[in-house]
Amino acid sequence: LRRRANKNTPTLSHLPTHTQTFFFTFISLTHLLSLRHNFLTQQWAHTIEVAEAEATDQHSEAAVAVVAVATEVEAAEEEAAEVVEATEAVAATEVVEEAVLEDAEAVEAEEDVAVAEVVAVEAHLVAKPW
């Protein structure tokens, strides 16, 4: 132990041996507990850093997944719009075809009327005595 700086300052060497042993043991245990506390604090800090890194990675993965889903939804919407446009085009084509058929029927009816008129005129001419 250290020498006394002052003759009035007591040192451990003046205490009984079992008291000295108790103090040394107490100081040693306190030091070990302090070292253990520091180790556990560092270990927890490392565990927290790892957990934060994993959470960040999972958040990044989730963000990538959200972007992928949004891209798929956008592509599906574009495809649906194309299908709607195609359906509308087919419907418009059908309407045009119906109009053409109606016009053709009207033309045929007009031709039938014209033929009937020609037949009537021919019949009238044949029936007249010249």
Side-chain angles (χ1 to χ4, degrees):
L1 296 176
R2 296 184 192 178
R3 291 185 185 179
R4 290 190 295 169
N6 185 340
K7 289 187 180 188
N8 295 330
T9 305
T11 62
L12 288 178
S13 59
H14 289 90
L15 295 174
T17 306
H18 65 277
T19 306
Q20 290 179 19
T21 304
F22 170 76
F23 279 124
F24 286 129
T25 305
F26 178 75
I27 290 170
S28 297
L29 287 175
T30 305
H31 181 66
L32 286 175
L33 286 174
S34 173
L35 290 176
R36 184 169 187 267
H37 173 73
N38 290 340
F39 172 75
L40 290 177
T41 302
Q42 289 174 355
Q43 189 176 11
W44 273 109
H46 176 70
T47 303
I48 290 170
E49 288 174 2
V50 168
E52 287 175 346
E54 288 176 359
T56 302
D57 290 345
Q58 290 174 353
H59 182 267
S60 298
E61 290 172 3
V64 168
V66 166
V67 169
V69 168
T71 303
E72 289 177 11
V73 167
E74 187 176 317
E77 288 174 347
E78 289 175 3
E79 192 173 311
E82 290 173 1
V83 168
V84 167
E85 288 176 7
T87 303
E88 289 174 351
V90 167
T93 303
E94 289 175 355
V95 169
V96 168
E97 287 175 354
E98 288 176 15
V100 167
L101 286 176
E102 288 173 2
D103 287 345
E105 290 173 358
V107 167
E108 285 179 15
E110 289 175 4
E111 288 175 353
D112 290 343
V113 169
V115 168
E117 289 175 352
V118 168
V119 168
V121 168
E122 286 178 352
H124 177 69
L125 289 175
V126 170
K128 262 191 171 187
W130 296 99

